Amino acid sequence: GAVVSQHPSRVICKSGTSVKIECRSLDFQATTMFWYRQFPKQSLMLMATSNEGSKATYEQGVEKDKFLINHASLTLSTLTVTSAHPEDSSFYICSASTQGEGRSDEQYFGPGTRLTVT
Amino acid sequence: SQKIEQNSEALNIQEGKTATLTCNYTNYSPAYLQWYRQDPGRGPVFLLLIRENEKEKRKERLKVTFDTTLKQSLFHITASQPADSATYLCAFNQAGTALIFGKGTTLSVSS
């Protein structure tokens, strides 16, 4: 199947600092990528939909100024957690669709990034 | 609002038996229903996708059914093995939209 990578896999940062997470589709082009967050023993919750070349669409309750998303190319989307606080500690996962032109069939997920804010 | 439920948080079975996981949805008519496997500390791994006009899909020891009348999908693992132990997530969406996930069922297969 298609491969999606995320970097870093783990990051520990101090409260108030910013952290950037990269999501790459390695063997296909993804016009749409999605960012999810997963708290312990919870399901994945969609944060935002990232479309190449346009502004991301955020879910209700997700602050766009705090979680900056940039989808600069068809293989790379980045999520920056600005002024991170301990409550932002979570498992962040991206996914990318193998279909272009706004269609999504199978979605492939990155391995996730464990963010810990101290 | 759209809702997706997986009927069991945990399922314990013996090796060699068939595991059956259930996923129900309400207030939605998905175009696709997908099943994923997630191991602790890892991202979900795609297993199977079934479209609204399909009744059943198979892949090796896996089988998924999709009943749009009952608003339900069943996920079967035949001849289960300890290596199948993981959390299984169902999710649905329309074309071009993000997935809406259930909370998952943690399957434990004992030898």
Side-chain angles (χ1 to χ4, degrees):
Chain A
V3 180
V4 175
S5 71
Q6 269 184 253
H7 178 80
S9 58
R10 288 179 178 272
V11 58
I12 300 173
C13 70
K14 292 188 176 180
S15 188
T17 60
S18 294
V19 173
K20 180 187 281 190
I21 302 169
E22 292 187 349
C23 176
R24 293 182 186 272
S25 56
L26 297 186
D27 51 358
F28 66 100
Q29 293 184 330
T31 55
T32 304
M33 290 185 175
F34 304 96
W35 286 94
Y36 295 83
R37 181 165 52 182
Q38 187 177 33
F39 291 104
K41 298 195 181 297
Q42 298 291 317
S43 190
L44 282 77
M45 296 300 293
L46 179 68
M47 298 176 66
T49 301
S50 169
N51 293 295
E52 185 266 336
S54 64
K55 289 185 178 180
T57 304
Y58 291 81
E59 294 300 296
Q60 193 172 11
V62 178
E63 299 174 56
K64 63 177 174 26
D65 295 329
K66 181 172 181 63
F67 298 99
L68 301 178
I69 291 172
N70 187 339
H71 194 157
S73 76
L74 288 172
T75 59
L76 173 64
S77 177
T78 61
L79 168 68
T80 301
V81 183
T82 62
S83 187
H85 288 98
E87 58 265 29
D88 298 323
S89 299
S90 187
F91 192 49
Y92 292 86
I93 312 172
C94 70
S95 75
S97 165
T98 56
Q99 298 290 338
E101 306 300 328
R103 288 187 54 220
S104 76
D105 284 343
E106 300 156 10
Q107 287 190 25
Y108 292 89
F109 284 79
T113 297
R114 172 72 60 193
L115 170 64
T116 303
V117 184
T118 60
Chain B
S1 62
Q2 302 157 1
K3 196 173 180 183
I4 188 164
E5 287 184 340
Q6 294 186 244
N7 67 333
S8 298
E9 277 193 27
L11 179 64
N12 301 308
I13 64 168
Q14 278 199 311
E15 184 175 9
K17 301 291 186 184
T18 296
T20 299
L21 285 64
T22 304
C23 180
N24 294 289
Y25 60 92
T26 54
N27 298 325
Y28 200 57
S29 294
Y32 308 104
L33 201 143
Q34 307 189 34
W35 284 88
Y36 289 81
R37 168 180 174 145
Q38 188 175 28
D39 290 285
R42 309 286 298 177
V45 174
F46 173 78
L47 296 175
L48 280 169
L49 176 150
I50 187 165
R51 294 176 172 79
E52 60 179 333
N53 60 351
E54 297 175 323
K55 296 289 185 187
E56 182 179 298
K57 186 77 72 80
R58 291 176 184 259
K59 179 182 174 183
E60 298 172 353
R61 294 186 294 113
L62 309 180
K63 184 177 84 170
V64 172
T65 62
F66 193 2
D67 188 327
T68 55
T69 301
L70 292 178
K71 294 185 182 294
Q72 181 181 82
S73 174
L74 299 179
F75 177 76
H76 306 273
I77 306 175
T78 57
S80 59
Q81 305 165 0
D84 295 326
S85 299
T87 296
Y88 292 86
L89 304 168
C90 69
F92 59 61
N93 70 330
Q94 297 285 348
T97 67
L99 291 163
I100 301 171
F101 280 90
K103 288 189 175 180
T105 296
T106 298
L107 173 67
S108 297
V109 181
S110 55
S111 55

